[in-house]
Amino acid sequence: MKVSFYVLSESKAQDFLGFICQLTQTALNKSSQSLLILIDKQDALLSTLDEALWAHDATSFIPHQRLLDSNIGDGADTDTSKNTAINPINSQPLAPVLLASYMPADFKGIVLNTTIHPVNDFMAATNNAQPTRVLELIKPDANSVQEGRHKYKSYKQLGYELTHFKV
């Protein structure tokens, strides 16, 4: 599996939502795979990112869906034109971008990880998830850098292909 670390500059970190939206749009443009954005359960980022994805570009939006722990896909708006993920509850296609605090069963796509945990922790908690690529965001503060080092070591031990970009 390929893992890309994006080490953010101060200016990119200040516009964290904007950078996530930009990276999400780039990933959608370059791939037909679903994109899962992992967010900690109690993180306020979920609601603000949900709004930002709808309003990222004045002339368009990034189709996405929030996955809830208790009821996947319940009541969310979707655009299914490019998606590869299927809702296991009703076999309906999911939106091309998913926002969740967990990895859905059988997920095979790109993961943008905003949590402090390596993606393998989420893979271990679900059935048959096999991400094809992981995007890790590292903010320029000491805590985020330390968490990034921990993730890097974890992925390296597993033999993943690692790259990093300063943005």
Side-chain angles (χ1 to χ4, degrees):
M1 177 169 41
K2 291 183 177 184
V3 180
S4 297
F5 287 83
Y6 292 85
V7 182
L8 306 182
S9 65
E10 285 290 337
S11 62
K12 292 289 185 188
Q14 288 177 3
D15 186 23
F16 192 59
L17 284 175
F19 183 76
I20 292 173
C21 290
Q22 191 175 36
L23 189 57
T24 299
Q25 188 65 64
T26 300
L28 285 176
N29 291 343
K30 292 184 175 185
S31 175
S32 61
Q33 295 180 325
S34 292
L35 175 76
L36 171 65
I37 302 176
L38 284 172
I39 301 168
D40 282 321
K41 277 186 181 183
Q42 305 303 322
D43 199 331
L45 180 62
L46 180 62
S47 293
T48 54
L49 182 57
D50 185 24
E51 291 298 319
L53 289 170
W54 286 122
H56 173 63
D57 188 342
T59 60
S60 66
F61 64 93
I62 298 173
H64 65 282
Q65 177 176 357
R66 291 170 67 160
L67 299 184
L68 307 175
D69 287 330
S70 60
N71 197 355
I72 297 171
D74 183 44
D77 294 324
T78 63
D79 174 342
T80 59
S81 60
K82 280 182 67 175
N83 97 58
T84 58
I86 300 295
N87 184 334
I89 293 173
N90 61 17
S91 298
Q92 294 296 311
L94 296 174
V97 176
L98 307 172
L99 307 179
S101 60
Y102 66 96
M103 188 171 296
D106 300 316
F107 180 80
K108 293 171 182 58
I110 302 167
V111 176
L112 195 162
N113 188 11
T114 68
T115 75
I116 63 170
H117 307 287
V119 167
N120 337 20
D121 293 357
F122 296 95
M123 291 168 62
T126 191
N127 292 329
N128 203 28
Q130 299 174 343
T132 57
R133 184 162 183 208
V134 175
L135 311 175
E136 291 282 356
L137 305 181
I138 310 299
K139 293 179 182 177
D141 63 86
N143 197 32
S144 185
V145 169
Q146 186 60 34
E147 292 163 357
R149 287 181 181 138
H150 170 72
K151 290 180 194 180
Y152 190 93
K153 289 176 187 176
S154 174
Y155 294 140
K156 188 171 184 165
Q157 287 177 342
L158 292 168
Y160 295 160
E161 183 182 331
L162 306 175
T163 57
H164 77 280
F165 306 96
K166 291 186 177 185
V167 293

